[in-house]
Structure formats: structure tokens, C-alpha cells
Amino acid sequence: MNKKIQIPFDKEELKELRAGDYVYLSGTVYSARDAAHKRMYEAVLAADSEEAKRAALPFDIRNQAIYYLGPTPAPEGHVIGSAGPTTASRMDKYTPMLLDMGLTGMIGKGKRSPEVREAVVRNGCVYFAATGGAGALLSKCIVASEVIAYDDLGTEAIRKMEVRDFPAVVVIDSLGNNLYETAVEDYLASRK
Amino acid sequence: MRNIHTDVITEAVKKMCIEANLALAPDMEACIRHAAEVEDGALGKKILDSLIENMEIAKEESIPICQDTGMAVFFVEVGQDLHIEGAGLTEAINEGVRHGYRDGYLRKSVVADPLLRTNTGDNTPAIIHYDIVPGDALTITIAPKGFGSENMSKVYMLKPADGEEGIRASVLDAVKNAGPNACPPLFVGVGLGGDFELAAKLAKKALTRDADSRHPDAHIAKLEDEILDLINQTGIGPGGLGGKTTALSVKIETYPTHIAGMPLAVNMCCHVNRHRSVTL
């Protein structure tokens, strides 16, 4: 099924999504990968109150999506360079905390840890996969991009981006269904 | 004795960095187009179609195929009768990388220290493997390597008794472990023999072979075919979303080894298996 989804997310709408749904995402997404996650995580751990923890993050993550991305530099006349997903599991250590603080969507590729899956279910979130290695194609769906934090990290800085009809597939839905487990089984069963 | 100036080398390296990242070699492109034609997994087919569209956009608009434009890995054959003048050869290659990654709008993905992790800002240093060979030519092969797939690579110190069965099982184990993480469809480089570190280097070198090439030794070529077949029976498919195309190719490079051992290295590469060669 193909669905159009707006970000910031409507959590009620996200509950309807199921692993295997093909979606087109539009709205705001934030890029963050290894170094930015580590920095956000450490900033939150160092803060001593709920308020301080939230203030320690460079943007309000509630109902938002993080795209695990480190793009190539934008050539003249382009919003961004090549911009495909990086492997999500490297962010697993930091992700449950962000989901518990209100982060709602993640876009990446590859497997997640049991801890991330539990946090997805606990908080009614969704993990989407974009096509790995399709950075040129996906860059066409990013219509605005601006570095908003951690500029010193270069490609790993946090960008606020506007996406339009960004294609992705639901891998882990809010019930904890995992497409990477079911898709391969379903395919093999279909060949019998 | 033939002379070559390092300025020529720097310029050639710069050009290779950019070309390798903007367009796949024809053999790789043909592989992906063929896979899209025969794929029967619904989501898998969708992924392959988008990879074809991606290649076309990358070429038309001069945008890198993948945002991970890699660490710049080189295999360099230096003719022993060649005289290189100018800067140091390694520095000349690094200077080419510096220029290529800057002028080609490629990503700078290298950190200076594995723990402190400050980006070097110019994608240097490269990883360079030198061979001294007869003659007076200089052959440079670049293979920019992304780390989504590199992270899923493995070394197995197999024993002689493990035989072909052990090789098949180990490569399959590595592929299953990689699953969707290494961006299938994969190009699987296998190094067999030598010692611990040579096996890994051979596995990387295997990735630079043309997709349609076959190993000159019949028993190794047969093993390449068998392993590819086994991998494509896993059903992992493009993007790990189910399908018959989990790998596009398996290449094995071998070297003599010790009576007690049979080292095996599996270097995973995604479908963006980039390489270019030039002889100067």
C-alpha cells in the first residue's frame, strides 16, 4: 500500500502503518548520524532535570523524524548532494533514549537492536528504510536544507531539511512487526 | 629509464576519484540492469528499479551515486624500471585524493584518529597497497569503499579439513549476518589463502575484478558460481526486502598458504562497487 505521511507526525496516523507499507514522507526531517548522536546523548546524560535534558538537544525532537544521513557537499545550484541513508544499527545505543524523549520516526537502512524495537513499541514510533545506495535519487526529494547544529562535524552536522514525497518503506511498525524478518520468509514461501 | 613526474600522477588520481564516484563502470551497470529484469520479489524489484533511476540521475546531474563516497583505496603497481620524480609517490596520490574529493563535491569521510574522531577534512589519507612489478609502467586502481558494507566484512581462519564446504558455509554466514545492512544486492570479494592480513587484502582486490570475469582456475571459478547460487537462495534480496538477487557477483582471489591453514576473508561491497584503473 502506498501512503502519504506528513512530518511532524500525527501519532494516531502512524498507528495505522504496518511493516511493508510503502510511504511518501513530506515535511521536516533532521539529519543526524554517529557523531551527532553521540553528542546529543552525552549532552542529555549530563543534564540534571527534565527541562535541562530537553534544552540540551539542538531541536525539539517531539513528533519529529531523524534521517540517518551524511550527505555529499551540495554542488552549485543544488540544495544538497547525494543523500541516501546510512546503516541505522550504529545509532542503536543512543536511540531508545531519544524515542523515550519524543522522537517519533527514524529513516535509515538495516537491522535494529531488540532495545530499539522495544522503544519503538513503547512509544508508538516507526522505523522507516530508504533505499541504500540511492543517494542521487533521494536527493531530489529534499527541497531545502540548512545546518542547524554541530557545524564542526562537517557531513555529520545536524541539518533541518524539508522533504517532499520522500520514498520509504515501513520496517518496524508501532506494534513491533519487523519487515526484515517477514519479507524474506514471505518471499521464500511464495516460491514454494 | 623512463621518468614520470608526480604532478601527472596527482592529476590522474583526482580524475579517477571523481569518475569512480559519479558513474558505475559498464560491467556493474549491466549487472544491476539484468538483475532488475529477472527479479521476482515485489519489493526487491522496486529497489532495483530505483537503483537504475539513481544511476541515471547521478550521471545526468553529476551527483555521486551514493553519499558514502568512501575511503579511497588504491592498488598501485610500480614498474621497477620506472623513475618517479617530484613529490613522494604516496603524497602525490593523497594530493590527488584531496583535489578529487574537493573539486568533485565528494564526501570527506575520514577521521584522523579512530578514537578521537576528528574529520581530516579532505578524505586523506588514502589506503594504498603497493606492488613492485617488472617493466616501467605505473598502474593505479582506485576502489572507493563505503563502510556500510565494509563493517559487515569478516575474516575466518579456516583449517585445511574445512575444505570447500567450510568456504561455502563461511561466506554464506557472512552474507546472512550482513543481511540488509550492507545494501544488497552485494558484490562479494573473497580472499582465500595467504595469511591473516593477505587474505583480507585479496578479498578487497577481488572487488576490483570485472563483474563478468571468471577466475582462470576452473575449481575456483566453479566455487564462485556455487557460492553466488547459495547466496541467492537465501531470499534476502535487494535492500533485504526479499528477492532472488542478494548478490550480483562473487569473486575469489587466492594465494599459496601454510600447511596448517586456510585463511578466508570476505569483503562485502554493496551494489555501488566502484573501481577505475589507469596505466601511466
Side-chain angles (χ1 to χ4, degrees):
Chain A
M1 195 187 299
N2 295 351
K3 292 179 179 171
K4 285 183 178 283
I5 300 289
Q6 198 67 36
I7 314 173
F9 295 108
D10 170 355
K11 279 205 161 176
E12 289 306 308
E13 187 183 33
L14 280 197
K15 282 185 190 161
E16 305 297 317
L17 291 182
R18 287 293 165 267
D21 284 351
Y22 205 84
V23 299
Y24 293 94
L25 304 169
S26 293
T28 307
V29 300
Y30 293 87
S31 74
R33 51 172 290 154
D34 308 61
H37 271 80
K38 180 170 191 278
R39 204 176 275 188
M40 286 194 286
Y41 182 79
E42 286 171 354
V44 170
L45 285 189
D48 53 8
S49 69
E50 277 310 305
E51 201 180 20
K53 285 180 192 301
R54 206 161 280 295
L57 293 175
F59 63 100
D60 185 350
I61 62 172
R62 286 171 291 189
N63 298 317
Q64 291 295 348
I66 287 181
Y67 183 13
Y68 301 136
L69 162 72
T72 60
E76 202 85 0
H78 287 259
V79 168
I80 200 163
S82 194
T86 195
T87 310
S89 57
R90 295 195 315 272
M91 271 50 81
D92 283 357
K93 174 182 174 183
Y94 313 114
T95 297
M97 185 187 80
L98 296 176
L99 295 176
D100 288 338
M101 289 179 74
L103 177 71
T104 300
M106 300 153 285
I107 309 165
K109 54 134 174 142
K111 295 178 262 195
R112 306 307 303 260
S113 66
E115 291 76 17
V116 169
R117 184 190 199 147
E118 283 161 24
V120 163
V121 174
R122 182 162 72 235
N123 294 291
C125 303
V126 173
Y127 166 53
F128 301 93
T131 303
L137 174 67
L138 293 169
S139 75
K140 310 304 283 179
C141 306
I142 299 171
V143 295
S145 172
E146 172 198 4
V147 172
I148 58 152
Y150 308 162
D151 198 14
D152 60 300
L153 295 181
T155 185
E156 296 200 72
I158 294 183
R159 289 171 180 74
K160 182 181 185 184
M161 304 183 294
E162 290 298 311
V163 298
R164 195 176 295 149
D165 290 332
F166 183 98
V169 61
V170 176
V171 170
I172 303 178
D173 64 28
S174 57
L175 298 178
N177 297 305
N178 186 339
L179 183 64
Y180 288 137
E181 287 163 12
T182 56
V184 175
E185 285 167 20
D186 289 351
Y187 172 74
L188 292 174
S190 76
R191 297 188 74 196
K192 278 181 183 151
Chain B
M1 185 173 277
R2 195 177 152 236
N3 286 317
I4 186 167
H5 196 276
T6 48
D7 286 351
V8 177
I9 298 166
T10 295
E11 189 57 29
V13 166
K14 171 190 159 175
K15 206 164 151 242
M16 294 167 89
C17 289
I18 297 173
E19 282 177 6
N21 276 296
L22 296 188
L24 284 181
D27 59 308
M28 280 307 301
E29 183 170 342
C31 247
I32 294 170
R33 285 187 187 277
H34 174 72
E37 276 168 29
V38 300
E39 181 56 59
D40 57 1
L43 278 169
K45 163 91 174 127
K46 220 173 160 101
I47 300 289
L48 291 173
D49 287 342
S50 60
L51 295 183
I52 291 171
E53 201 183 337
N54 184 63
M55 287 190 289
E56 287 165 357
I57 293 173
K59 248 190 261 178
E60 276 164 30
E61 305 205 11
S62 296
I63 300 173
I65 307 159
C66 177
Q67 75 289 337
D68 189 350
T69 49
M71 259 190 115
V73 178
F74 292 89
F75 291 94
V76 180
E77 292 181 356
V78 186
Q80 64 193 20
D81 297 329
L82 180 68
H83 177 244
I84 298 167
E85 55 188 23
L89 176 56
T90 298
E91 180 44 32
I93 292 172
N94 277 319
E95 188 68 3
V97 169
R98 213 166 271 135
H99 291 175
Y101 276 70
R102 181 194 64 202
D103 297 353
Y105 294 90
L106 307 178
R107 196 175 79 181
K108 288 74 181 173
S109 310
V110 177
V111 293
D113 179 290
L115 279 171
L116 304 178
R117 306 201 73 83
T118 303
N119 197 302
T120 61
D122 58 11
N123 219 51
T124 67
I127 294 174
I128 310 172
H129 304 288
Y130 289 108
D131 264 325
I132 307 296
V133 298
D136 62 4
L138 178 71
T139 299
I140 304 174
T141 300
I142 184 175
K145 187 64 173 68
F147 259 53
S149 54
E150 190 74 0
N151 278 343
M152 306 315 289
S153 303
K154 280 180 181 287
V155 172
Y156 301 83
M157 297 307 286
L158 298 182
K159 306 299 174 284
D162 292 325
E164 284 192 12
E165 185 45 42
I167 296 167
R168 283 190 290 265
S170 300
V171 180
L172 203 59
D173 171 71
V175 167
K176 284 183 177 168
N177 180 59
N181 291 25
C183 287
L186 306 168
F187 199 103
V188 182
V190 178
L192 177 63
D195 61 357
F196 180 77
E197 85 280 0
L198 183 60
K201 183 176 152 184
L202 289 171
K204 171 82 22 84
K205 199 163 189 185
L207 296 175
T208 66
R209 274 174 55 193
D210 274 356
D212 45 16
S213 70
R214 286 178 64 78
H215 196 280
D217 297 340
H219 68 294
I220 301 295
K222 181 165 163 274
L223 199 52
E224 291 177 344
D225 293 344
E226 285 170 358
I227 294 173
L228 179 62
D229 218 41
L230 282 173
I231 291 172
N232 285 335
Q233 283 170 30
T234 60
I236 294 169
L241 299 177
K244 64 159 76 165
T245 322
T246 302
L248 298 164
S249 191
V250 175
K251 301 294 182 219
I252 304 175
E253 289 292 295
T254 67
Y255 194 82
T257 190
H258 189 278
I259 50 173
M262 191 168 68
L264 175 80
V266 183
N267 196 193
M268 293 295 172
C269 191
C270 60
H271 48 87
V272 190
N273 182 32
R274 298 161 285 207
H275 50 90
R276 286 287 188 283
S277 282
V278 67
T279 298
L280 300 171

